């Protein structure tokens, strides 16, 4: 693997998931692979799960890890040809090349603005790192994608699936703040590549990018969409069409035990209790969110392992 | 040891102190014990000594360490049943379970509010971690206790004691800010479990919780209390009864070389010079504060070692 | 080496540079040297390159690294005899002694005020660490010096020099903010110790300290100074005489491809494009700034290695 910025970077998804599950039995098996290799983790935004699980994954592989909260250092310039006499003090061209010399792999987290759709969609920050860095880049959640989360989700569903072609529903949930579409996007793309029957349900106006959803079924009636679901992935996102807007906080979209039925409940976390999902779901056996979070380590470890093998 | 949140978690104090002193001669002796084990350190408040000494202790034992300033990530919710549509974005139930999967031991620092006595006394944050985490918890200073400091103090007194049953005095000192009672509480509890003669001295109104002091002698006359002391532990704390209030900044309570006499001077640091204690004491041979700070490493190392042995 | 706070601490510069270049071929050769040794890195100011390269260097040598952003912890007091009842909560006397017990080497970064010349020139912070710490101190950029950068620069020039006694020009550049003289100072001192022909060029009023420049040629006409240069080191600094002031933002001092001619372009980074230097220079083969940044690792590694050998 030469980079992991999009789920398409995984060449053999089934094999990768199978290996991740095996890895859980012996997380330190490939500890020599990362010896004297360094992962630099760059955070333009805060992180708990992604940070800890990716650091853990790297250390499981024997890597050294160096972490930098970029905003504590300085503001980077991403535009070409700018006269840098204002707020930015270093150009991504230099920053990416320089950090590449201290790193064997660079992992980057940078959320979207949710105000400038075109800029967010261009993934200018991540793409700039890909363009100027001379080592592989790992996406720890970018403007439009969260492929490490999606891989963890795929591992979780694979581990828990008891039948062929399970029904998976991505169900929008209310939230007081405007959130990115990244998790939803990557989940949809991942499911499209697995042997599952995917349905998306959300209020009108919350359609994800057509380039993501393609032919995936969209049903505006949540109850109908949830019928006979095996896995229900609940997530809020802000509007894509009316970009970054909170169009609805309709509480009736909150996931409840009754709506969930016999399905497993999934969420990437952090989750707002009794807003996104009621306590009764999270505190029940139906919830697999803790398992999902655990699989973040092994998703990251598989990605780092495949990159290390190709260095 | 299954956790270390209170000095009562040490089952054999004398033996633990003896081992800590031996450990100082060969800090890397148990380096295999922590191999492939991870300590996650969570800071809700800033830290210098505790952070560096605990990290050092873990690495001396061969552990991996991951550090997170929690407030940089997000605000945790601790109440049950809340509709989380305001400032908190993740419930401790999820956070503690998730982090437990990335950690073999979790260490937590979280100071009291000093405004809500009942909430502070409930140790809601630490207790929530104990309740929901699935790995052992270490207290790096909580609302009401600082047991790692107390163990370091016990090691220091043991190392320096030249006679049976030395006289130890805990002497309140003035301070411009309202400080927690945690250090004083844990010191008192620790001394009650050692072969020492403990006296507490402070202005009226600064009584610590009776549940802590029990039958320990309290003398409001500092000079009298200090007579024939072998060790004088100086520390400011805010009022417990008039909770969190600074009732006095009476400079006459500052420790001086004259008052100290032949006793050893102890303080957990950081210490405000010429407010809590005069320069002449800190700059003399009587001060053992640097030794105390060094013993923080070995106190933490003994605690982590005993926990690792019981994993 | 007993400390590295000034380039004068290097006893054999030529040999050190030669070794650094050899080290690049096998960065992990001395990995046993740092086993069970700890570098504590203290940041009073933000850092990207210095932080990552120094951490990397220490890990290449097998050291443990602990990093502390000091301002996140608390304000240190540096004055003797102060009654500490205001903003400072710990005296450098305690802090330096305490941290020395957790560290085998302490590295410190602390910028000048650029307002109090006498205080900056006294290097009170760095000198206080040297005075009170009981382990070697490494300067990661202080008020008046950046010796790790200067060593990296010396390595870079040595690697790229194709003739005896190359002409090196330090050329001031405009910048919107008041910057320290530290990089320029250490570069000048380093060049004075190498077999190069050094010229400094800047607008009048930007003279560096005479104690630094000594007999080095100063030419106020940039074009004249640059003639036949082999290496041009471009850097902004604020006025030393009119201390900390930005006297000029004269754009004609920006480095251009035309002015640079056949010389190599050097800069310590971060660099403001099209303010300090035009894109055409940075994007050309003449720029060696990325190589310089890479050499930061090996400069730090040589310094840490020589200190470890003398522990």
């Amino acid at each position: 693997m030469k980079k992991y910025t999009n789920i398409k970077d995984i060449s053999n998804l089934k094999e990768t998931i199978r290996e991740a599950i095996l890895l859980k039995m012996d997380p330190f098996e490939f500890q020599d692979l990362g010896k004297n290799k360094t992962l630099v983790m760059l955070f333009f935004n805060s992180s708990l799960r992604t940070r800890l699980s990716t650091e853990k994954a790297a250390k499981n592989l024997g890597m050294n890890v160096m972490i930098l909260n970029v905003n504590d250092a300085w503001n980077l310039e991403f535009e070409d040809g700018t006269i840098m006499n204002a707020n930015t003090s270093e150009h991504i061209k230099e920053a990416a090349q320089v950090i590449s010399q201290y790193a064997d792999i660079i992992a980057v987290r940078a959320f979207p603005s949710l105000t400038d759709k075109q800029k967010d969609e261009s993934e200018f920050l991540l793409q700039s790192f890909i363009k100027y860095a001379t080592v592989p880049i790992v996406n720890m959640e970018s403007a439009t994608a969260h492929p490490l989360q999606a891989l963890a989700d795929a591992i979780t569903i694979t581990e828990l699936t008891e039948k062929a072609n399970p029904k998976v529903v991505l169900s929008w949930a209310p939230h007081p703040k405007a959130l990115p579409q990244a998790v939803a996007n990557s989940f949809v793309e991942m499911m499209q590549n697995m042997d599952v029957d995917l349905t998306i349900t959300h209020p009108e106006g919350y359609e994800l990018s057509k380039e993501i959803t393609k032919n995936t079924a969209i049903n505006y009636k949540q109850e109908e969409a949830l019928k006979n679901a095996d896995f229900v992935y609940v997530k809020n996102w802000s509007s894509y069409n009316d970009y970054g807007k909170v169009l609805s906080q309709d509480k009736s979209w909150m996931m409840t035990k009754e709506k969930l039925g016999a399905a497993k409940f999934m969420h990437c976390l952090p989750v707002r209790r009794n807003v996104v999902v009621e306590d009764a779901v999270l505190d029940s056996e139906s919830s697999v969110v803790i398992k999902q979070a655990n699989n973040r380590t092994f998703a990251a470890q598989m990605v780092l392992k495949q990159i290390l093998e190709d260095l």
Side-chain angles (χ1 to χ4, degrees), chain A:
Chain A
M1 197 185 284
K2 297 301 180 191
K3 67 175 179 67
Y4 187 61
T5 56
N6 189 288
I7 66 154
K8 296 181 185 76
D9 292 318
I10 302 176
S11 61
N12 188 332
L13 181 60
K14 272 196 187 159
E15 178 60 20
T16 299
I17 293 171
R18 201 190 62 85
E19 265 195 61
I21 295 170
L22 288 175
L23 206 54
K24 291 174 78 166
M25 297 180 218
D26 187 4
F28 307 108
E29 188 183 350
F30 300 98
Q31 207 153 33
D32 288 342
L33 198 62
K35 191 170 187 296
N36 291 336
K37 302 293 182 196
T38 299
L39 173 69
V40 170
M41 294 168 68
L42 300 177
F43 291 95
F44 291 83
N45 297 94
S46 66
S47 174
L48 185 148
R49 252 159 298 278
T50 298
R51 176 172 170 160
L52 293 178
S53 63
T54 308
E55 183 178 356
K56 172 92 180 216
K59 288 179 173 173
N60 282 355
L61 290 164
M63 296 186 81
N64 290 325
V65 178
M66 305 200 298
I67 298 175
L68 199 72
N69 296 324
V70 182
N71 299 331
D72 291 356
W74 37 68
N75 290 323
L76 292 179
E77 176 64 47
F78 291 91
E79 299 295 326
D80 273 349
T82 323
I83 297 171
M84 289 169 56
N85 58 1
N87 296 322
T88 57
S89 55
E90 176 149 32
H91 200 281
I92 180 66
K93 285 189 191 180
E94 276 73 54
Q97 288 182 78
V98 166
I99 297 169
S100 295
Q101 298 180 111
Y102 308 142
D104 296 281
I105 303 172
I106 298 173
V108 181
R109 161 168 282 209
F111 293 164
S113 66
L114 292 182
T115 53
D116 187 335
K117 186 176 189 171
Q118 202 182 344
K119 205 174 169 191
D120 289 349
E121 293 239 278
S122 74
E123 288 280 11
F124 73 99
L125 193 147
L126 189 69
Q127 290 302 324
S128 298
F129 271 100
I130 294 172
K131 185 169 177 185
Y132 296 117
T134 55
V135 299
I137 299 295
V138 171
N139 180 350
M140 295 195 294
E141 187 170 346
S142 66
T144 69
H146 196 351
L148 284 172
Q149 179 66 52
L151 181 53
D153 298 336
I155 295 168
T156 308
I157 289 175
T158 303
E159 279 184 301
L160 295 170
T161 296
E162 288 161 358
K163 65 181 184 193
N165 210 37
K167 180 172 177 186
V168 175
V169 180
L170 172 61
S171 181
W172 181 90
H175 196 282
K177 289 171 61 184
L179 297 189
Q181 295 96 29
V183 168
N185 286 344
S186 291
F187 182 72
V188 169
E189 287 192 299
M190 181 59 82
M191 290 306 109
Q192 288 166 343
N193 282 281
M194 289 180 71
D195 298 325
V196 304
D197 168 19
L198 178 65
T199 298
I200 307 174
T201 180
H202 53 68
E204 289 190 52
Y206 275 101
E207 293 76 15
L208 295 166
S209 163
K210 273 214 185 317
E211 287 182 41
I212 299 284
T213 53
K214 288 173 188 139
N215 297 325
T216 296
I218 297 173
N219 189 335
Y220 296 119
K221 294 179 183 159
Q222 191 189 32
E223 204 177 332
E224 218 176 88
L226 292 173
K227 208 164 285 178
N228 298 318
D230 296 292
F231 296 92
V232 177
Y233 201 102
V234 175
K235 181 77 187 82
N236 168 269
W237 60 88
S238 58
S239 175
Y240 174 77
N241 291 318
D242 194 356
Y243 192 66
K245 292 290 184 304
V246 175
L247 305 180
S248 163
Q249 297 200 35
D250 183 352
K251 292 176 186 177
S252 75
W253 280 83
M254 182 176 81
M255 187 53 51
T256 62
K257 208 162 166 45
E258 198 189 337
K259 286 190 211 169
L260 186 66
K264 297 288 182 198
F265 171 79
M266 300 181 74
H267 190 284
C268 61
L269 304 183
V271 65
R272 287 173 178 251
R273 283 175 168 252
N274 304 312
V275 174
V276 167
V277 53
E278 65 173 5
D279 279 342
V281 173
L282 278 169
D283 296 335
S284 76
E285 297 273 308
S286 303
S287 170
V288 300
V289 297
I290 305 302
K291 193 189 222 348
Q292 270 176 279
N294 188 35
N295 282 335
R296 292 294 308 273
T297 301
F298 304 99
Q301 204 170 326
M302 278 311 301
V303 164
L304 293 173
K305 176 176 175 281
Q306 294 189 11
I307 293 175
L308 286 169
E309 285 167 345
D310 275 7
L311 281 185

